[in-house]
Structure formats: C-alpha cells, structure tokens
Amino acid sequence: MARYLVSMESKNAAVNAWVTECAEYLQPNVIKWIDGSQAESDALCEQLVASGTFTPLNPETYPGCYWSRSHPNDVARVEDRTFICTPSKDDAGPTNHWASDTEMSAKMRTLMTGCMRGRTMYVVPYLMGPVGSKFSKVGFELTDSPYVVENMRIMARIGKPALDALGSATNFVRGVHSIGTLDPEKRYICHFPATREIVSFNSNYGGNALQGKKCFALRIASTEARKEGWLAEHMLILGITTPHKTKHYFCAAFPSACGKTNFAMLIPPQGYLNNGWKIETVGDDIAWINVGEDGRLYAINPEAGFFGVAPGTSEKTNPNALASAHKNTIFTNTAFDPVRKEPWWEGLGPCPERLVDWIGNEWSPEMGTKAAHPNSRFTAPASQCPSIDPAWTSPTGVPLSGIIFGGRRPTVMPLVLEARDWKHGVYLGLTMASNTTAAAAGAVGTLRRDPMAMLPFIGYNVGDYAAHWLSFEHRPGIKLPRIFHVNWFRTDEDGRYLWPGFGENIRVLEWMVARIEGKAETVQTAAGSLPVAISRDGLEASDSDIKTLLSISNKDWISEAASQTEYLKTLGSRLPAAMFEENEKLITRLNAA
Ligand code: SAT
Ligand code: MN
C-alpha cells in the first residue's frame, strides 16, 4: 500500500494483510498497534485527559481512575440497530434483526470509507478467556476511540497475550469500530458469523463498541458454540463453599441490570460467615461452557473485567464491586463531585454538596433529574475484586453444579423452583421473562420474554438455540447440572419487595446446594419443585411473605402458561416440538392440580 506507511508489529501475515486492507478504506492518519503495556496505557490516558474525554479522579481515594461522559444520545445498547448478517433471514431467526451479509458488508464499507480521516486507528489484539486455556479465543478490534482501547484493556487481555495465543493462526475475529459522527440514524452494530466479522459504527458505548463483550463473546461465540458443541451464555459464574467445605459452582443468567454483578459478589450475612459459608466470584456477565472429560460442564469467564451498573451499588448492596472499582477504573456517565474529585451515583450514599451530572451540568436534587445516568457504568479489573475466585483464570474452567435462570417478576414466579429435568429446565430458561431496565434503549419496566437472558445476544436462530441446549442431554457420558429458576423481585400489591435480596440470596443457594448434595426435600408443584422450607435464621421476613414467596398461584400460572404458549409460537418453525410438549405438560399439570 502506498498511502500508509504501516509498520506492522504483528508477525502474522493474515493479521497484517487485514489491517492494511481496512486502513485503505478507513483512511486513518496514523496506525498504532496496542501492546498492552502500562506505559502505553499511561500515555493514552494522558491524551484522553488532554482532550477532555477523561477527568482524573482523586489520586488518594481513586488512584488510576477516570470519569468520562458519553454523548447523551449514546448511553446504552441499541438493539434495533444491531444486526445479524447472514445469507438467509432464517439463519438469524425471529429474535434478531437480520441483514443480508453481502449487502450489509457493502453498505458498511461505503458508509465507513474515510471515517477515520484525521484520526489514529488503534489495532487492539485481544484474548477472550484465560491465558493458556484451549477454550480462549483471539479477536482484533480496529478502533479510532482511545476510550474504547482503555476499556478493552480492562475488559480483555490485550496486546501480547493475544498475539501469543494467535501465533500464526488466521482464525481471529475481525472487528472494525469507529465513533464516526455518533449519528444515531447511522448507528450500526453488525455481526457476520460466517466470516467472524464485527463492524460497529457511530457509537462509543459499552456493549456497542467494546466488541469483545456482547459482539464476540456472545453473538459470534454462541454461533460457534453451536457448531462446536459448547455454550456461550449471558451468565455470571460464582463459587459457594459450605461449612463442611464442599464447593459448588453455579452459572446464573439474568437480563442486563438485574443484579448479576451483585449476585456474583454476594457477601453472606454475618451468621453465614460465622458458620463458614463463602461466596467467590469467577465472572459477572458471560460464561463459556464446555463439556469436560469427566462429562461435567465447565465454565470459563472470557472477560478480564467488570462493566457494572453503578446506580444502586453501595457499601450495603455490593461492597465487593465498590472495592473492585476503587483503583484503575473508568466511570462512564456517573455524576462527578468536583470538590472531592470522586464519582457519585444514586444509591451510593449521601449526596455531596456540589455535583456535576452525567450530562456535564451543575446538578442539585431539586432539579428532579438523576445525577447519574441509570445505565452509568464502572469498568473495573476483575483481579481487584476481593471475592475473586482462585480458579477464575483456570484454563480448564470450573465444574458446574447448577444453572440458574431468573428475571424481574413482580408476580407469578416464586423465589425459587427447581426444574423437573433438563428438558423442563431448558423450557424454564427459554420462557423466562423480566421487566425491562435501562441497559437497553427503549421502555423501562414492561415485561418481556428473554430466553436464557440471551434475547439480544443469540447470534443465530432461537429455535436452533433451543435445540442446541436440548442436545446436551444426549451427549454420551454427560453429567448435567441441575437447573433452577429464581425471582428476587416479587412484590405485593403496593409494590413492596417481599424478599430482601442481596446477601440474603445465599439462603436460596444454600437450598440448591442441599438439593445437589441430596439433603433437601421439595414440594412438587405443577410449575416445578419448590423448597419445603428455606433457612430463616436471622432473616427479617414475615411468615406470610415467605409463604407467598415459596408457593405458586395456580390461577396466575394458568395465564402464565397461556402467555408462554403464545410466546413459543413467535419463535418460528425451527423451535423443537419438545418445547411445545413441555408447555402442554405444564398446562396439564396445572389443570390437574
Ligand atoms: O451491553 S453492555 O455490555 O453494554 C451491558 C449490558 O447490557 O449487559
Ligand atoms: Mn450483560
């Protein structure tokens, strides 16, 4: 190439050819290869401060931390601008926005021609998964956003570990990202599973722009997982140690902003701590799950950091998240205390005297607006989490004893129920629903079905996805974990939460562990198996609330089952008949009860 004097820092010819080809149409002024070093990070942060994108925080209380604001129109994932690009619409299925791969590819090429003019293009090699794990995978993100580079540095293993893992292989995920003009009308988040390509344009926000996360680790990876016989899921991973020193790992799927981070970092109540219970964190958002040689499922966390929701995070609700985010952390769209030079958000604690809100204006409580955006985030290294599990970087992953599904359900769903078997568990996951949150653009607080909390992230046809989950039952020698459904968000008629949540959620895990260890009884209901009782020692909850939480209303469930039937019908012709059969069995059980 004549126009760019690209010094190729990779020894991989396929990488170099692709970077050169992209630079030709993106037309950056400068190309900078990211090596992942501290010196490189220091220089980039200095540049981000000079340009006003980063405000350094208090070096005593928040060393190495920065406050940042996005464009006010660019604060969440944009599901209606997110596309799965395949030859046939049927491959993307009824839950995705589809575009023809050839058409979208050509369109993005045209739209993005020259978009990096006058800018630096950073070449970010990144590894998803622990160093040395055969389950880890390599991607490259070409981006003109130093903000993205600094976030990727926390969220993935960037630079050398990725180049080392790739070696001379050519199967890296090819990602192109440009801030463009941030024009929401021309915002595109495109996935090309067949060629392992990701293109995102006109957004600088988390899930749209940090391509390792939802784009690669969920949408592209889920497509590959199906072909290769594993699972890429929107799940936290936690370990629980019992007083008799047994340890169990769980994966749990909740939609965005439903408390995955809090659950993954749960601090048990004092009585539980005294008795020797311990919770440790492997990951808070994504799990890649493979079948081990012993037939058990093993999970790795493909990420290296947390991209957690700030509002509501406090010493009381999640001290581990706060501790993780007290150094080397980027705060995006929180409020800023200009006196203490600290971030602030609703729910953190007392409101400081002076505040700048997430839009950049002086703010006071009388204004009636929120100081921090409801989807404001902290990007923090997972290694800084006090509860991080010793096995969080284990190349083999951690063996799973249980899989948990859950959502925000003010009614219908009990605190916990156990699936009757794998098929029923898959059905519970596929039909799970939740009240929407601020993590995605759109209305907040309306009930939507969200299969396995993967609705925005399944990279292929949801019917094939259900079939893939079901197929695990037939794998030779498989030892499947139990499947549970939980609901921390049950309310009474006045909207009061019946369950205290947070640390007290360990009581539900305790019951699950007892089930797994064969030590707890259940009540069989039409909906699934419920606890006879859960431990209430030291729990502040009334008998009647507990009774509501641990029972089902047949009347409510009959309409729930009918709504599930209607939902299954929207999932298209590839949905396995087994899912309709589960629905029919549920209705039969309810009618017999
Ligand atoms: O998609 S993000 O990574 O920005 C956050 C989320 O919705 O889980
Ligand atoms: Mn998520």
Side-chain angles (χ1 to χ4, degrees):
M1 55 181 290
R3 204 131 60 94
Y4 299 98
L5 293 171
V6 186
S7 79
M8 288 302 166
E9 287 179 28
S10 136
K11 294 189 181 66
N12 184 309
V15 170
N16 294 345
W18 169 73
V19 171
T20 306
E21 184 207 322
C22 292
E24 280 288 357
Y25 77 92
L26 299 166
Q27 300 171 19
N29 266 24
V30 181
I31 297 174
K32 187 164 174 7
W33 287 72
I34 292 300
D35 63 19
S37 69
Q38 189 57 46
E40 168 191 87
S41 172
D42 294 347
L44 264 184
C45 288
E46 207 170 289
Q47 181 190 322
L48 280 156
V49 170
S51 68
T53 305
F54 272 5
T55 301
L57 296 177
N58 189 322
E60 253 117 64
T61 54
Y62 284 90
C65 294
Y66 297 93
W67 178 61
S68 176
R69 297 185 295 107
S70 74
H71 190 287
N73 80 18
D74 188 32
V75 294
R77 280 183 289 103
V78 279
E79 291 174 11
D80 57 333
R81 315 273 335 156
T82 299
F83 297 89
I84 300 296
C85 310
T86 50
S88 133
K89 189 169 194 304
D90 220 27
D91 293 331
T95 57
N96 282 305
H97 293 285
W98 171 80
S100 141
D101 52 353
T102 47
E103 279 169 33
M104 187 57 101
S105 179
K107 177 173 171 165
M108 294 314 295
R109 192 55 81 108
T110 308
L111 266 180
M112 294 181 82
T113 292
C115 68
M116 292 191 184
R117 239 172 256 164
R119 300 180 184 172
T120 299
M121 178 173 95
Y122 301 93
V123 182
V124 189
Y126 63 94
L127 178 70
M128 299 308 289
V131 172
S133 170
K134 66 175 181 196
F135 305 125
S136 297
K137 289 173 186 277
V138 176
F140 276 74
E141 181 165 353
L142 306 181
T143 177
D144 54 12
S145 167
Y147 167 89
V148 162
V149 177
E150 283 314 294
N151 277 271
M152 285 293 285
R153 189 185 303 282
I154 298 169
M155 295 307 297
R157 284 107 177 153
I158 67 169
K160 193 173 178 314
L163 293 178
D164 290 350
L166 183 66
S168 58
T170 58
N171 64 342
F172 55 95
V173 165
R174 290 150 164 82
V176 175
H177 166 254
S178 171
I179 310 175
T181 58
L182 294 181
D183 179 353
E185 308 284 315
K186 296 203 183 94
R187 193 165 287 163
Y188 289 92
I189 320 298
C190 304
H191 307 74
F192 302 84
T195 48
R196 308 186 88 208
E197 285 174 283
I198 302 164
V199 180
S200 49
F201 192 36
N202 284 316
S203 171
N204 204 31
Y205 170 78
N208 302 330
L210 309 178
Q211 293 184 344
K213 199 173 183 47
K214 309 297 190 188
C215 300
F216 181 171
L218 289 178
R219 297 195 191 97
I220 298 281
S222 64
T223 313
E224 289 177 358
R226 175 179 168 235
K227 286 192 202 114
E228 297 166 7
W230 54 284
L231 294 164
E233 297 297 325
H234 192 205
M235 291 177 171
L236 66 90
I237 313 164
L238 64 76
I240 179 166
T241 305
T242 66
H244 50 275
K245 300 281 172 268
T246 53
K247 186 162 188 179
H248 295 279
Y249 288 97
F250 287 84
C251 274
F254 305 108
S256 298
C258 284
K260 280 207 304 297
T261 306
N262 291 345
F263 191 45
M265 298 176 193
L266 182 156
I267 296 191
Q270 197 54 51
Y272 277 78
L273 290 173
N274 294 348
N275 290 338
W277 289 92
K278 187 150 103 182
I279 301 278
E280 286 164 301
T281 311
V282 177
D284 81 328
D285 197 40
I286 299 176
W288 283 358
I289 304 170
N290 284 274
V291 182
E293 272 160 28
D294 59 359
R296 293 186 72 185
L297 298 189
Y298 284 77
I300 61 163
N301 172 8
E303 301 190 281
F306 308 126
F307 188 63
V309 179
T313 307
S314 71
E315 264 324 316
K316 186 166 162 276
T317 60
N318 194 340
N320 283 325
L322 276 193
S324 311
H326 255 280
K327 53 183 184 191
N328 311 317
T329 294
I330 300 166
F331 295 89
T332 304
N333 291 340
T334 64
F336 171 65
D337 172 346
V339 179
R340 290 188 191 77
K341 302 225 173 312
E342 292 183 351
W344 190 84
W345 51 79
E346 280 74 13
L348 176 62
C351 181
E353 236 152 75
R354 269 191 65 202
L355 264 188
V356 177
D357 69 9
W358 70 276
I359 306 191
N361 298 322
E362 286 280 335
W363 183 89
S364 64
E366 305 84 68
M367 289 164 65
T369 56
K370 297 248 189 272
H373 188 277
N375 193 37
S376 54
R377 300 269 172 168
F378 55 83
T379 317
S383 59
Q384 293 180 181
C385 181
S387 62
I388 200 74
D389 193 274
W392 88 281
T393 54
S394 157
T396 50
V398 295
L400 296 181
S401 298
I403 290 177
I404 304 170
F405 295 114
R408 290 176 185 266
R409 295 297 304 261
T411 58
V412 182
M413 282 292 166
L415 179 64
V416 55
L417 64 90
E418 184 183 327
R420 302 161 66 92
D421 52 34
W422 183 256
K423 252 195 215 82
H424 181 231
V426 173
Y427 177 81
L428 282 178
L430 200 74
T431 54
M432 71 186 251
S434 189
N435 276 0
T436 50
T437 68
V444 169
T446 55
L447 194 75
R448 82 164 176 180
R449 302 250 166 229
D450 189 344
M452 272 84 166
M454 282 286 280
L455 181 65
F457 308 123
I458 302 170
Y460 59 103
N461 190 302
V462 62
D464 295 337
Y465 175 76
H468 181 48
W469 263 86
L470 288 171
S471 74
F472 280 78
E473 201 183 11
H474 309 295
R475 297 273 280 264
I478 194 95
K479 296 194 193 82
L480 290 168
R482 284 174 193 246
I483 298 182
F484 302 90
H485 187 287
V486 300
N487 177 23
W488 318 136
F489 299 95
R490 187 75 183 258
T491 61
D492 64 12
E493 297 79 42
D494 303 324
R496 177 185 61 93
Y497 287 113
L498 300 186
W499 178 247
F502 301 104
E504 304 295 353
N505 291 340
I506 196 171
R507 296 170 192 274
V508 174
L509 282 171
E510 178 185 17
W511 179 75
M512 292 175 184
V513 167
R515 289 291 300 153
I516 289 156
E517 296 185 349
K519 296 174 187 160
E521 295 298 311
T522 63
V523 184
Q524 291 293 327
T525 75
S529 312
L530 269 68
V532 174
I534 55 160
S535 160
R536 288 177 63 185
D537 233 17
L539 179 72
E540 281 177 40
S542 71
D543 290 349
S544 84
D545 285 356
I546 294 293
K547 189 158 169 260
T548 311
L549 285 162
L550 295 186
S551 55
I552 66 153
S553 145
N554 253 49
K555 186 170 143 282
D556 288 357
W557 267 84
I558 285 172
S559 41
E560 172 72 16
S563 143
Q564 291 175 354
T565 317
E566 290 313 304
Y567 182 65
L568 293 180
K569 288 185 196 156
T570 70
L571 295 183
S573 58
R574 295 202 200 171
L575 188 71
M579 293 293 91
F580 283 104
E581 286 157 21
E582 280 302 317
N583 179 251
E584 278 157 30
K585 281 194 260 174
L586 169 63
I587 293 169
T588 308
R589 291 195 301 268
L590 285 164
N591 288 333

